[in-house]
Amino acid sequence: MTVKTITTSELAKKVVNHEETLILDVRNTDEFDDWKIEGGRVKVINEPYFNLLDGIESVEGSLQKDQEVIVVCAKGGSSEMVGELLEEAGYSDVYSLKGGMKAWSEHLEPTKVSDLSGGGSLYQFVRLGKGCLSYFIESDGEAAVIDANRMTDIYETFAKEKGVEIKHLIDTHLHADHISGGRQLAENVKGSYYLPPKDATDVTFDYTALQEGNDIVVGNTTVQVQPIYSPGHTLGSTSLIIGDQYLLTGDILFIKSIGRPDLAGKAEDWIGDLRETLYKRYKELSNDLVVLPAHYSFAEELGKGGKVSARLGDLYQKNSGLQVDDEGEFRRMVTDNLPPQPNSYEKIRHTNMGKANPDEEERREMEIGPNRCAVHG
């Protein structure tokens, strides 16, 4: 008996379209507690694989015989076996997630944000398994990719489908929770790789400086990418204003939280920068700019079609990280609400600096787990 499989792409469509989805996650409870599939209408049951080998009684009360059940494990093997046990017990609509959580971690789901006023379009790539968000701007045959993940072939394929040439690869900061694909993609397409100079003091490669005053133009219809220096998550963190419509905030400001300042061991030094950016620099910008962050942390941040965005003025009303007027209280809020450090974050930083070059399998292992770039107050 062969269990039906569901691909990460098919599951992603269910999640972003807010379809009711039931997942039976058969990984060990500690792995499940650290990181799981989430979505607005996703229900997840965790029952470790070894508890099911002698019988599925422990989950029978939670499942209906004709209900669609998607079984998930680490790599796709154990979920197939559990799927077979469920089918033998009379469950008729069982799927195994192909490639398991390892594959889920690498899936990117593109969603169109909008057409741009200067011509061209802006897309958001949602990495549902990590909460990473990257961006693709295309205009008049050219494209820019911002905060690219390491799965560079996905962006290259997308560019081919759109008939555009990727010219600009931009990282808003030196990432610590995932391996950047920006430099690799720049090599592949012979484009320019941009990085903020204050984050690049220890890198081992050449780059183009991403800094305020050096606007980037995509295509002849001049979609303007305007860098705004906005330190606090890192010393060099730089936001981008796209066509006077959108504010790409990197890991400084999220929809329901704010960026953490401690991933280079500089929390005390950088909290002041973080506050200055959020409470002064951003306040000088138009309230009508639409914030597009580099991460999301909560399933409820996924809007229609999976899009993650909010108007800047609305965030000043709703985001609790922007409501703390007293500086001492702000410092306490930030330091008291830091989640654990991201998995392998030092090694990831060194890889993004060019100081380490792990093989593909090790890169996958380094990235497994949730993103932890936000202060959760």
Side-chain angles (χ1 to χ4, degrees), residues 124-169:
Q124 184 181 65
F125 280 70
V126 185
R127 189 175 176 185
L128 292 158
K130 283 285 288 179
C132 298
L133 302 167
S134 49
Y135 296 90
F136 188 104
I137 303 166
E138 61 84 14
S139 171
D140 210 37
E142 290 185 12
V145 181
I146 297 140
D147 290 328
N149 288 272
R150 64 179 169 77
M151 292 75 72
T152 54
D153 56 325
I154 296 169
Y155 305 104
E156 291 184 74
T157 301
F158 192 77
K160 277 200 184 91
E161 287 169 1
K162 298 290 173 195
V164 297
E165 193 177 343
I166 300 171
K167 296 274 193 179
H168 312 280
L169 294 307

Side-chain angles (χ1 to χ4, degrees), residues 153-201:
D153 56 325
I154 296 169
Y155 305 104
E156 291 184 74
T157 301
F158 192 77
K160 277 200 184 91
E161 287 169 1
K162 298 290 173 195
V164 297
E165 193 177 343
I166 300 171
K167 296 274 193 179
H168 312 280
L169 294 307
I170 303 166
D171 271 332
T172 55
H173 61 287
L174 187 81
H175 295 282
D177 78 306
H178 71 276
I179 295 165
S180 167
R183 190 161 51 97
Q184 183 61 57
L185 195 45
E187 281 180 28
N188 294 356
V189 301
K190 297 183 170 46
S192 301
Y193 176 57
Y194 298 80
L195 191 63
K198 288 184 179 177
D199 279 1
T201 50

Side-chain angles (χ1 to χ4, degrees), residues 113 245-248 286-292 309-312:
V113 176
Q245 293 169 271
Y246 295 94
L247 176 64
L248 272 61
S286 165
N287 274 333
D288 288 326
L289 285 170
V290 175
V291 169
L292 296 169
S309 67
R311 185 175 162 275
L312 181 61

